[in-house]
């Protein structure tokens, strides 16, 4: 198996892996996200606000993970304001339990450290939670969200 960082040319592959991840997490694929997903992946890889790694066995992608960097207002606990959001963690079912997700996570944490980013966050699926807890992430009650009624899922 070998690892490499994704490039914008990998956007279709990464979009496919992302959709597999969402389905594995129990999310019904009842909305067409192809165009928006490809646009997001391409743009964020190009401007380097996202770094994604891919693990291959021969020429077949078997695992991936990404970190998206966001600027927030500085706080006393995060003077730079920069945070890294861990996302797109996916390992093909037959390759789970081999440490691929942990290896990818370690590379993402190293990327954050190299950029001087100290705060990381994520939304853990049932499959991913044990990996994150073992790595040292802690759960909080701070993660909340809402959906604004009447807003299109594909704004233009």
């Amino acid at each position: 198996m070998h690892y490499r960082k994704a490039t914008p040319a990998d956007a279709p592959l990464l979009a496919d892996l992302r959709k597999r991840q969402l389905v594995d997490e129990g999310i019904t694929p009842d909305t067409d996200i192809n165009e928006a997903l490809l646009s997001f992946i391409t743009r964020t890889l190009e401007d380097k606000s996202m770094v994604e790694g891919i693990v291959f066995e021969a020429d077949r992608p078997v695992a991936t993970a990404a970190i998206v960097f966001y600027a927030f207002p500085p706080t006393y606990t995060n003077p730079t304001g920069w945070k890294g959001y861990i996302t797109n963690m996916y390992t093909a079912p037959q390759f789970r339990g081999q440490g691929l997700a942990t290896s990818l996570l370690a590379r993402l944490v190293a990327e954050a450290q190299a950029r001087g980013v100290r705060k990381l966050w994520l939304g853990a699926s049932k499959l991913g939670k044990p990996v994150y807890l073992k790595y040292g992430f802690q759960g909080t009650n701070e993660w909340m969200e809402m959906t604004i009624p009447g807003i299109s899922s594909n704004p233009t």
Side-chain angles (χ1 to χ4, degrees):
M1 286 196 228
H2 69 279
Y3 165 89
R4 73 168 171 80
K5 282 187 180 179
T7 69
D10 293 313
L13 167 65
L14 298 175
D16 179 60
L17 292 171
R18 169 75 173 163
K19 290 185 283 187
R20 287 190 219 172
Q21 170 212 343
L22 295 171
V23 169
D24 277 5
E25 291 175 3
I27 300 171
T28 303
D30 58 1
T31 303
D32 182 3
I33 62 170
N34 292 329
E35 185 179 322
L37 188 54
L38 283 169
S39 175
F40 176 85
I41 292 168
T42 302
R43 176 178 39 82
T44 56
L45 287 173
E46 285 175 347
D47 70 15
K48 302 194 185 330
S49 62
M50 181 171 78
V51 173
E52 187 149 357
I54 313 169
V55 177
F56 291 88
E57 181 186 60
D59 292 333
R60 181 172 59 146
V62 297
T64 188
I67 185 168
V68 182
F69 296 100
Y70 292 97
F72 290 86
T75 66
Y76 294 117
T77 60
N78 189 17
T80 68
W82 283 96
K83 292 184 181 182
Y85 178 70
I86 305 294
T87 189
N88 296 359
M89 292 283 291
Y90 176 78
T91 303
Q94 63 272 34
F95 293 92
R96 293 180 185 157
Q98 298 179 26
L100 298 178
T102 301
S103 175
L104 285 164
L105 184 57
R107 290 173 185 262
L108 299 179
V109 170
E111 183 74 31
Q113 288 174 319
R115 292 183 183 212
V117 175
R118 296 177 47 217
K119 296 287 186 176
L120 303 178
W121 94 102
L122 54 82
S125 69
K126 188 189 304 185
L127 289 171
K129 194 169 188 173
V131 173
Y132 304 128
L133 289 171
K134 184 177 178 182
Y135 199 86
F137 283 81
Q138 298 175 358
T140 71
N141 293 327
E142 295 177 17
W143 183 288
M144 299 177 76
E145 64 181 39
M146 70 170 280
T147 301
I148 301 172
I151 301 294
S152 168
S153 62
N154 191 8
T156 52

